[in-house]
Amino acid sequence: MAIRYIPYFPDPIEGQAVLNNFTRTLKYYGNDKIKENLKRGMPLYEVETIEEIGTNNENNMLIRGECISACAYLKDKGITVDLVYIDPPFASGAYYAKKVYLRRNPKIAEIITNAEKEIEMNEDFKNFEEKMYGDVWNKEDYLNWMYENLIAIKSVMSEKASIYVHLDWHIGHYVKILMDEIFGEDKFKNEIVWHYSWGIRTTNQWNKKHDTIFLYTMNDDYVFNAEEVLEERQISDATANRLKYKGALISDGNKGRGEQELALPSDVWYVATINGMANEKVDYATQKPEGLLERIIKASSDKGMIVADFFGGSGVTAAVANKLNRKFIHCDIGINSIQTSRDRLISDGAQFNILEIKDGVSLYRNPSQTMDKIKKLIKGLRNEDSLDKFWEGAIQDSKEGLIPVYVPNLLDSSTKLLDKALMTDIIRKAIPDLPDDVKKVIVYYIDITSVDEIKKIIDDDTTTLVEIELRDLKELLSEVVVDDYIEYTINESNEKLFKEYNVSINKFISDRVIQKIEDYNQKRQSQCLKKAKKYKPIILSDNGLEMIEYVSLDCTNTDGIWKSDIEIKIDKNSYVTINGEKSKEFWNGTITSKRKPLRLKVRNICGDESVSKL
């Protein structure tokens, strides 16, 4: 439950209602639902600092949580941002995942090397992917969600700030109308076309080879450094005089034909997508090239300004902002985004804090996979064809009969909060459509405005006799969180001039990873039997070290905020990075510290982290 609610708008004009600007020029079913949310404000939750990297004098942040909750935190702390770039879901109907790779086992390298080859060579290896999020939306729900997010972001933008919203053909034209309403048509500056060569290949229509980025500003006084993003253009007989006449050329035009001349930047950009061998590639499904963000950040911010990305993904915005001497705020709901961005920024020598919004999200580190497990977690829950898709299923009770069950969709953050509007919809719309013999329904929630308020709504209603039971889904989801088993030994060494502590990982068991591999083996075995092919299963070692991708020692704190004094990251090729320094060495199964280690953290290849006190 939120601590309190923070108003969206900084300072409403005296005598003017906060919602006077709520005109909703884009009309569609359900677009008035957002009014209650805006009246209530942004939910402010407890925020915990999870990890500190460096002294972080610039107050750089990685925030795990939803955009609206992050904006509530920033506004409560009086923090405003000077440039926003967001690359939100595109409502594309796709699911995004990261590929999972076993690492080289330092104790039985030959066995695991064979397993690695089996994985990399087999293109059907799909079950061992880590689903990050689903970009599958009802259009109306998406637009309501985007409207509220954009209002929240606007609430923390400085007076000179700009916002770049990156979308494509799926939904961009609708969001453009929302932005006209939120920021004002007169604050629209550009529709930028990012052109690239990668993408769909077809011969029955024009190939889709671009995304769209909308640029809006808060006011007419905003930052735009054209001199930082001048473009080189080749001068030809056909273009030289025309470019001079239009004033597009910056330099004096004395260069010969075929030479490069500096010109003012245009709103059509060709920036190459990331190739498979690029140093910046971090194996994140929706990763954007650094060149794209470099152009945006150079043009629309000055050194020392705060650059924010509230759908941070692979961390490209934070990484480029750091390199260009800007402060950064990275926000994302996904744990994989936070881990990927953290590791990337450490390699760049950045200093920052990792914060977590305590809104229940941390209990389902992977919403997609948790949704798959919910039916097993809710005892007796099964599919029921007679029910609308609003209901997750039903429980058959000997006394009550059929009990429909509502479960919030963990892939859709707009369903997380059980409030007056949702409860009214359940009572007035969902329950009347149920079969006549239904006596009871169960409503799960992740967050709730007020238990007493919702119960009063239920008690005061006279339209239905159906009993409504409220249940906190977080109590159920807590069963999903299972730490991995880590077996280790610590040895002190005085062989050098100073004392060293060697922590050796002897055994690692991750039930979750093991189950993924077993599922994959069963699927492949069935496929091979049908095709009469020879089947080679993936074999894990008894010590399980091939399931580890990251090891860290905290030599500073015994509890609370994590301080990584020494860490090892094992990449998908099994090479080791130590404290951000890459190498071509393989891991030997140990991690060494000059200081006495107090805690050990191990991350498995699916991203789960487990901590042991030493």
Side-chain angles (χ1 to χ4, degrees):
M1 189 180 299
I3 300 171
R4 65 180 185 277
Y5 289 87
I6 305 292
Y8 279 86
F9 303 102
D11 294 301
I13 299 172
E14 188 174 351
Q16 176 183 318
V18 169
L19 291 178
N20 271 4
N21 73 329
F22 192 83
T23 57
R24 299 315 302 267
T25 54
L26 179 61
K27 298 296 183 183
Y28 52 84
Y29 176 76
N31 74 345
D32 58 340
K33 291 182 180 179
I34 204 72
K35 283 187 178 181
E36 289 297 322
N37 294 6
L38 295 181
K39 286 180 181 178
R40 185 171 53 239
M42 298 179 283
L44 177 66
Y45 298 91
E46 178 188 350
V47 176
E48 180 182 355
T49 300
I50 302 298
E51 183 174 1
E52 293 178 347
I53 292 90
T55 56
N56 192 25
N57 295 325
E58 304 293 343
N59 199 26
N60 295 318
M61 288 179 262
L62 266 59
I63 304 174
R64 187 189 174 200
E66 294 176 323
C67 168
I68 295 170
S69 302
C71 290
Y73 170 77
L74 296 177
K75 191 173 178 194
D76 184 59
K77 296 297 182 184
I79 298 171
T80 58
V81 301
D82 304 302
L83 171 62
V84 177
Y85 165 85
I86 57 171
D87 178 19
F90 287 7
S92 64
Y95 286 94
Y96 293 93
K98 74 164 187 173
K99 290 196 174 182
V100 179
Y101 297 85
L102 294 171
R103 271 41 174 186
R104 178 183 181 275
N105 191 310
K107 299 191 177 181
I108 46 171
E110 183 178 351
I111 293 177
I112 195 58
T113 298
N114 291 334
E116 285 174 341
K117 288 179 180 177
E118 183 74 17
I119 293 171
E120 291 171 359
M121 290 169 60
N122 189 344
E123 293 183 358
D124 294 327
F125 188 47
K126 302 297 183 186
N127 285 352
F128 201 29
E129 286 185 337
E130 182 75 353
K131 291 180 183 177
M132 294 190 293
Y133 70 91
D135 191 8
V136 181
W137 293 80
N138 169 287
K139 186 181 294 180
E140 289 77 16
D141 290 342
Y142 177 89
L143 293 173
N144 277 332
W145 175 80
M146 272 300 295
Y147 192 97
E148 190 173 1
N149 278 282
L150 289 168
I151 288 284
I153 292 170
K154 182 181 178 183
S155 297
V156 296
M157 289 172 62
S158 70
E159 291 299 311
K160 298 185 70 172
S162 303
I163 179 170
Y164 289 75
V165 179
H166 185 152
L167 295 161
D168 71 359
W169 58 271
H170 288 93
I171 204 77
H173 44 298
Y174 293 101
V175 175
K176 168 71 167 62
I177 298 174
L178 297 185
M179 296 186 72
D180 281 344
E181 182 175 325
I182 293 167
F183 292 93
E185 293 182 52
D186 60 322
K187 300 303 184 293
F188 169 70
K189 294 298 179 284
N190 285 107
E191 177 181 0
I192 297 161
V193 173
W194 172 34
H195 168 58
Y196 43 77
S197 56
W198 178 88
I200 295 172
R201 297 179 63 186
T202 181
T203 57
N204 61 5
Q205 66 181 65
W206 301 104
N207 283 279
K208 298 179 177 70
K209 300 287 185 181
H210 81 275
D211 288 357
T212 301
I213 305 173
F214 299 116
L215 167 60
Y216 284 75
T217 61
M218 282 289 283
N219 292 294
D220 294 330
D221 181 18
Y222 58 94
V223 176
F224 193 79
N225 304 311
E227 69 280 1
E228 293 288 336
V229 286
L230 297 178
E231 298 174 345
E232 287 189 343
R233 295 189 190 176
Q234 186 164 314
I235 306 304
S236 67
D237 289 329
T239 61
N241 291 330
R242 177 168 55 85
L243 288 173
K244 290 178 186 177
Y245 174 73
K246 293 292 184 181
L249 295 184
I250 299 299
S251 46
D252 59 15
N254 292 326
K255 293 187 178 180
R257 301 295 187 262
E259 293 189 64
Q260 298 291 333
E261 198 77 67
L262 290 178
L264 291 170
S266 75
D267 59 1
V268 178
W269 304 350
Y270 178 81
V271 179
T273 52
I274 303 167
N275 69 66
M277 301 301 292
N279 289 331
E280 66 183 88
K281 187 175 176 60
V282 293
D283 285 326
Y284 197 93
T286 57
Q287 182 181 357
K288 300 301 183 292
E290 290 189 3
L292 187 71
L293 271 298
E294 182 178 341
R295 184 173 296 203
I296 290 170
I297 293 172
K298 280 184 174 180
S300 292
S301 70
D302 296 327
K303 291 181 180 180
M305 283 186 165
I306 299 177
V307 179
D309 189 339
F310 294 97
F311 302 90
S314 67
V316 61
T317 305
V320 175
N322 178 67
K323 290 173 182 175
L324 295 176
N325 297 311
R326 274 72 165 172
K327 303 171 186 177
F328 60 83
I329 297 173
H330 167 108
C331 172
D332 202 287
I333 194 173
I335 188 66
N336 181 249
S337 166
I338 300 301
Q339 291 171 344
T340 301
S341 303
R342 174 205 179 277
D343 297 346
R344 179 179 194 167
L345 288 163
I346 282 180
S347 293
D348 290 342
Q351 299 185 27
F352 53 94
N353 289 352
I354 300 177
L355 289 72
E356 185 169 88
I357 297 172
K358 311 303 285 186
D359 59 355
V361 170
S362 59
L363 287 174
Y364 49 97
R365 65 163 301 284
N366 189 306
S368 181
Q369 292 185 341
T370 305
M371 284 300 293
D372 294 339
K373 290 184 177 182
I374 278 183
K375 289 189 178 178
K376 296 179 182 177
L377 296 172
I378 300 175
K379 190 175 180 181
L381 183 65
R382 57 181 175 79
N383 292 328
E384 181 54 57
D385 294 337
S386 65
L387 299 179
D388 184 85
K389 64 181 181 179
F390 176 86
W391 304 96
E392 185 67 24
I395 297 170
Q396 188 66 45
D397 184 80
S398 57
K399 181 180 178 181
E400 302 286 351
L402 189 72
I403 304 176
V405 178
Y406 167 78
V407 178
N409 182 1
L410 304 186
L411 302 175
D412 178 2
S413 60
S414 65
T415 70
K416 185 185 74 172
L417 180 68
L418 180 58
D419 59 4
K420 179 180 177 181
L422 178 56
M423 195 69 248
T424 301
D425 276 353
I426 292 173
I427 293 172
R428 302 286 174 85
K429 297 178 181 179
I431 289 179
D433 288 339
L434 293 173
D436 293 339
D437 57 347
V438 170
K439 302 175 184 177
K440 177 180 178 179
V441 299
I442 296 172
V443 175
Y444 278 95
Y445 64 87
I446 297 168
D447 192 16
I448 191 168
T449 51
S450 165
V451 174
D452 291 340
E453 177 192 44
I454 299 302
K455 284 185 175 179
K456 187 175 187 305
I457 293 171
I458 296 170
D459 293 340
D460 290 348
D461 180 75
T462 58
T463 63
T464 180
L465 297 176
V466 174
E467 178 189 351
I468 301 173
E469 180 184 341
L470 303 178
R471 292 185 183 179
D472 190 342
L473 189 61
K474 295 191 294 297
E475 295 177 5
L476 195 68
L477 292 176
S478 62
E479 300 176 24
V480 178
V481 183
V482 180
D483 284 343
D484 294 330
Y485 171 78
I486 310 166
E487 191 176 290
Y488 58 87
T489 55
I490 305 175
N491 295 309
E492 295 184 24
S493 172
N494 294 301
E495 294 180 3
K496 299 182 180 179
L497 296 177
F498 48 84
K499 183 182 289 188
E500 284 187 335
Y501 296 87
N502 297 309
V503 179
S504 298
I505 311 296
N506 302 319
K507 192 168 187 177
F508 182 77
I509 300 174
S510 174
D511 290 336
R512 182 160 167 247
V513 179
I514 291 170
Q515 184 60 53
K516 279 179 168 288
I517 292 175
E518 288 177 353
D519 291 344
Y520 165 72
N521 283 339
Q522 289 177 8
K523 180 181 178 181
R524 284 297 298 152
Q525 184 176 26
S526 175
Q527 291 173 340
C528 289
L529 284 173
K530 289 179 181 178
K531 297 179 181 180
K533 289 184 177 181
K534 188 176 180 181
Y535 168 65
K536 292 182 179 180
I538 298 172
I539 301 173
L540 289 173
S541 67
D542 291 336
N543 62 47
L545 301 194
E546 60 270 32
M547 293 185 283
I548 296 174
E549 77 165 16
Y550 166 89
V551 182
S552 173
L553 293 178
D554 184 347
C555 306
T556 305
N557 302 319
T558 56
D559 288 295
I561 298 173
W562 185 269
K563 180 70 174 178
S564 181
D565 292 288
I566 181 74
E567 63 182 58
I568 289 173
K569 175 82 181 291
I570 307 137
D571 68 20
K572 69 177 185 179
N573 297 314
S574 298
Y575 296 131
V576 171
T577 297
I578 301 176
N579 281 7
E581 294 293 327
K582 295 182 179 180
S583 77
K584 290 294 184 180
E585 302 293 327
F586 294 123
W587 185 43
N588 63 4
T590 66
I591 182 168
T592 301
S593 171
K594 294 178 182 179
R595 297 170 58 194
K596 184 177 180 180
L598 303 175
R599 291 187 290 177
L600 167 70
K601 181 189 289 185
V602 178
R603 184 195 304 164
N604 69 36
I605 54 178
C606 288
D608 302 302
E609 293 184 341
S610 299
V611 175
S612 300
K613 286 189 177 182
L614 303 179

